[in-house]
Amino acid sequence: ALLLSRCLLKMVKGNIVAPEEILSFCCNGLQGSTSPPRARDPGEREEAPGAMASPSPPRNPTEVQMSQLVLPCHTNHRGELSTGQLLKWIDTAACLSAERHAGCPCVTASMDDIYFEHTISVGQVVNIKAKVNRAFNSSMEVGIQVSYEDLCSGKHCSICKAYATFVAQGPSGSKVKLKPLTPQTEEEKIEYSIAAERRRMRLVHKDTLKDLLIRSPRETELETRDGSVVVPAEKTRVESVELVLPPHANHQGNTFGGQIMAWMENVATIAASRLCHAHPTLRAIEMFHFRGPSQVGDRLVLKAIVNNAFKNSMEVGVCAEAYGQEMSVSRRHINSAFMTFVVLDQEGRPRTLPMVAPEPGEGERRYREASARKKIRLDRKYVVSCKQTEVPLSVPWDQSNKVYLSYNNVSALKTLVAKANWALAREKKKVRMYTLEEDKFLSFRIEMSVHIAASQAFSLLSDLRRRQEWDRHFASAELVQQVDDDDMIYHVVSQTLSHENKPQDFVILASRRKPCSKGDPYVVAFRSVTLPTHPASASFTRGETLCSGFCIWPESEEMSKVAYYNQATPGYLNYVTTNVAGLSSNFCATFEACEKFLLKNKEDLIMRLQDL
């Protein structure tokens, strides 16, 4: 229709319509092309016949873009887009992206935490962009970005960012092995690299909650708030049933994941309203996890209850269960989620909420878990969601945020590795030094090829206690805490004197990661943390590192490329710039010493591994 309109408009203006334009209309129009040519901007020149179009950056073949105009039927009583409707659109776009990569039907396995930054009003446009970040064995991570557009003012604003996991399904529900995804742009390479770390964080999320609950007091202590009403949690309970009809099913006959999420959001909103006797606003959703499918004809029972109410927010637990026509058959657990609501006054500020009195037994358990989840959410939002420049160099360490500090440690290094604008600054013998200049940081990378297996280099370089054997800037490194098999905390003393003429010391979190799949490097990431047991001492000047570490790529069975990265903090700048300017050979000498250390110890390492 667009091409035909262009042809008619030219004829009305007395212009000649080229035969190829009519042919283009016939071919594209009759084939039902979903991607019509871009409309020419006002004032844009027509290209001369045969002119070469300027090359555009390669587009991710899995990318799906969706734009939806918000109509009254999509909104709540305030004229704002229903979160349930938004979840439907998000899930649809993500599923289409996943199926583009898989080439077969895909089902939603989970949806990570979502934080909603703004509401969307009638008449505004919701723009959703979804693309596959990484494909694993039979599952893949899809990244989704949601923004809104005001057509009158032209304003654009971010709403949320989400990550969904989809599983490819073959005939009879069998799993399908996915082809690998090759990232093209810098952004895609960063998302691809960090996707493995997000996957690891999802798998340990339950263990994090269990650990926190084990260390917290067993007795349930109710919060006291002056002048607040106490509402029994039982009064907020909601149970609703939905019959799954064909319009609720996807193209595979299973209940559409977005529809289930929308129904869950509906009952959770009712439960929240029963506590505050007002219309709440959904601020965050903690991971949706689909435990099994449901089909057309199933009855879905949706349950919700307020687990805990804090001063300005409340957590609502919601679950979905399915059963067929026979009530005697046990219900199947389909999904669970936890939603955080607030109640806003006329100025948009959160109101103080009534307190909740939990039921004995299960209610008290949910109450305690809600408090633990709130702490985890705050830690995670602080560590993971903040921009790197807004996070202090040294962040407090405790058991509740260990997973997210480890995630942030590794993902920060992987982000640095994936940057595209590294420039070669120096090369001496086999050692190459690169620099990367950004707004507030000068980063450097030193690399060389070493005749050692990547796994052996990884084992030797990940133990900071051996660093002083090859790095003359290290005086000592004491293992303070063995967090788990992959994360350790060290107290490091440096030989380098500060401007106060005192040696520097560091408290460093070291996070190790083996490759997730072929082509991934071995990673050893470092960042500063603060420990109550190791405060700053008058004998040292406390130093800090924001992002540094090793990446080791196998080049063959016996050869590895070893690269060291450091996002230089002010204490390193003089040292770095001196080496970049060619006034010192410290970097080259240190890295050559590192090579000698690796070659000297690889045989001993092989012998120890054989003894084990």
Side-chain angles (χ1 to χ4, degrees), residues 226-417:
D226 293 339
S228 291
V229 178
V230 179
V231 178
E234 184 62 27
K235 288 193 174 182
T236 69
R237 187 182 296 277
V238 179
E239 182 170 323
S240 180
V241 64
E242 298 281 356
L243 175 62
V244 181
L245 301 173
H248 302 141
N250 58 24
H251 48 294
Q252 306 155 45
N254 295 326
T255 312
F256 180 43
Q259 180 63 69
I260 296 175
M261 290 190 281
W263 282 334
M264 294 172 71
E265 185 269 338
N266 180 60
V267 295
T269 302
I270 296 172
S273 300
R274 288 181 175 175
L275 174 75
C276 59
H277 299 293
H279 297 292
T281 299
L282 181 60
R283 276 289 181 252
I285 300 175
E286 186 170 311
M287 185 183 294
F288 285 105
H289 181 72
F290 288 89
R291 290 170 169 80
S294 65
Q295 293 80 31
V296 172
D298 276 347
R299 283 73 171 163
L300 280 187
V301 178
L302 302 131
K303 301 177 180 179
I305 190 171
V306 176
N307 291 332
N308 201 337
F310 309 100
K311 183 177 180 181
N312 299 120
S313 66
M314 69 185 98
E315 182 196 272
V316 178
V318 56
C319 73
E321 299 173 338
Y323 66 93
Q325 295 182 359
E326 298 295 330
M327 280 293 294
S328 57
V329 179
S330 61
R331 295 177 180 178
R332 310 187 309 275
H333 189 182
I334 300 297
N335 202 334
S336 292
F338 301 97
M339 304 188 184
T340 302
F341 289 86
V342 297
V343 179
L344 304 177
D345 60 19
Q346 293 182 346
E347 283 74 36
R349 295 171 301 192
R351 283 171 36 185
T352 301
L353 299 176
M355 294 185 295
V356 167
E359 303 169 271
E362 279 297 295
E364 292 177 340
R365 176 188 63 80
R366 290 194 298 266
Y367 185 93
R368 291 176 60 247
E369 289 181 353
S371 297
R373 275 188 293 270
K374 183 184 180 185
K375 176 170 175 50
I376 291 174
R377 275 194 297 271
L378 292 174
D379 289 338
R380 181 169 51 211
K381 191 173 183 180
Y382 173 73
V383 174
V384 177
S385 301
C386 292
K387 295 180 181 178
Q388 195 173 33
T389 55
E390 296 173 353
V391 178
L393 295 186
S394 294
V395 292
W397 171 269
D398 67 50
Q399 288 295 109
S400 67
N401 68 3
K402 66 178 183 180
V403 172
Y404 311 108
L405 275 173
S406 177
Y407 163 86
N408 183 260
N409 190 17
V410 175
S411 61
L413 179 59
K414 287 185 173 182
T415 299
L416 187 62
V417 171

Side-chain angles (χ1 to χ4, degrees), residues 195-207:
E197 196 62 19
R198 282 191 291 263
R199 184 187 189 211
R200 181 179 183 273
M201 191 167 65
R202 291 181 198 112
L203 297 176
V204 300
H205 177 68
K206 285 186 178 180
D207 293 335

Side-chain angles (χ1 to χ4, degrees), residues 429-594:
K429 297 181 181 179
K430 297 186 296 182
V431 181
R432 296 171 297 278
M433 179 177 177
Y434 298 82
T435 58
L436 175 67
E437 295 183 45
E438 295 178 299
D439 292 340
K440 296 183 179 181
F441 299 102
L442 172 64
S443 304
F444 63 89
R445 171 180 109 218
I446 313 166
E447 66 181 32
M448 69 184 304
S449 294
V450 183
H451 193 75
I452 187 174
S455 59
Q456 296 170 350
F458 171 70
S459 178
L460 290 167
L461 293 176
S462 60
D463 188 351
L464 276 182
R465 290 171 297 185
R466 304 197 66 178
R467 181 81 171 255
Q468 62 264 31
E469 294 181 35
W470 58 270
D471 189 345
R472 64 185 184 83
H473 300 95
F474 267 58
S476 64
E478 173 196 2
L479 179 62
V480 174
Q481 185 175 338
Q482 179 79 41
V483 181
D484 52 37
D485 291 340
D486 295 322
D487 296 280
M488 292 75 69
I489 299 177
Y490 294 90
H491 179 232
V492 174
V493 177
S494 171
Q495 298 272 25
T496 306
L497 298 180
S498 67
H499 64 279
E500 299 172 345
N501 205 31
K502 293 190 294 186
Q504 288 184 303
D505 73 332
F506 302 79
V507 178
I508 292 177
L509 168 66
S511 302
R512 317 175 338 147
R513 297 290 187 272
K514 293 181 179 179
C516 180
S517 58
K518 187 177 180 181
D520 286 354
Y522 289 84
V523 175
V524 187
F526 306 124
R527 75 155 301 155
S528 290
V529 294
T530 57
L531 277 179
T533 56
H534 286 72
S537 166
S539 303
F540 302 100
T541 299
R542 177 57 53 91
E544 294 178 308
T545 177
L546 175 62
C547 173
S548 61
F550 293 95
C551 283
I552 306 159
W553 286 270
E555 293 184 328
S556 67
E557 290 187 2
E558 294 296 328
M559 286 292 294
S560 305
K561 183 175 77 173
V562 179
Y564 175 73
Y565 294 80
N566 196 314
Q567 195 168 57
T569 51
Y572 278 89
L573 286 181
N574 290 336
Y575 176 60
V576 174
T577 53
T578 299
N579 279 272
V580 172
L583 303 176
S584 170
S585 299
N586 281 338
F587 276 154
C588 293
T590 301
F591 229 56
E592 288 171 355
C594 178

